[in-house]
Amino acid sequence: MTAPLSIVGLGGSLAKVSRSRAALEVALDGAAGAGARTQLLDLRELDLPMFDPDHATPPANALELIEVCYAADAMRARSRAPSRTRSTGSAS
């Protein structure tokens, strides 16, 4: 018997109410309904520190992210892209 796929969803929004995280949850629910093992990693909840190459061992929350992602068969990340602005002025 084949083991179920392990799919990790990585939510990147820091907003308390996030439509992108909600969409990610729907996608993970669909994957779970198809028999996959799913896990949502929410960057807001992980509260990751800034990367510091001078520290030999990452903190526990960073290790969790590394281990879960490394063990996954597939990943789906979702974060709102920053708004783009467009100049309406004319070029001379």
Side-chain angles (χ1 to χ4, degrees), residues 11-91:
S13 175
L14 297 179
K16 288 182 182 179
V17 177
S18 168
R19 284 181 267 166
S20 61
R21 187 171 42 250
L24 183 57
E25 289 170 350
V26 169
L28 290 174
D29 287 346
R37 287 189 334 252
T38 63
Q39 182 172 357
L40 174 63
L41 292 177
D42 188 338
L43 292 185
R44 182 179 168 85
E45 293 175 7
L46 284 174
D47 192 29
L48 296 170
M50 293 296 291
F51 174 70
D52 184 350
D54 294 330
H55 285 101
T57 304
N61 51 352
L63 285 174
E64 177 188 359
L65 174 68
I66 293 165
E67 291 170 2
V68 169
C69 292
Y70 185 77
D73 295 309
M75 288 192 64
R76 173 69 172 118
R78 183 75 177 140
S79 181
R80 182 174 176 226
S83 299
R84 295 184 183 200
T85 59
R86 192 166 112 193
S87 173
T88 57
S90 61

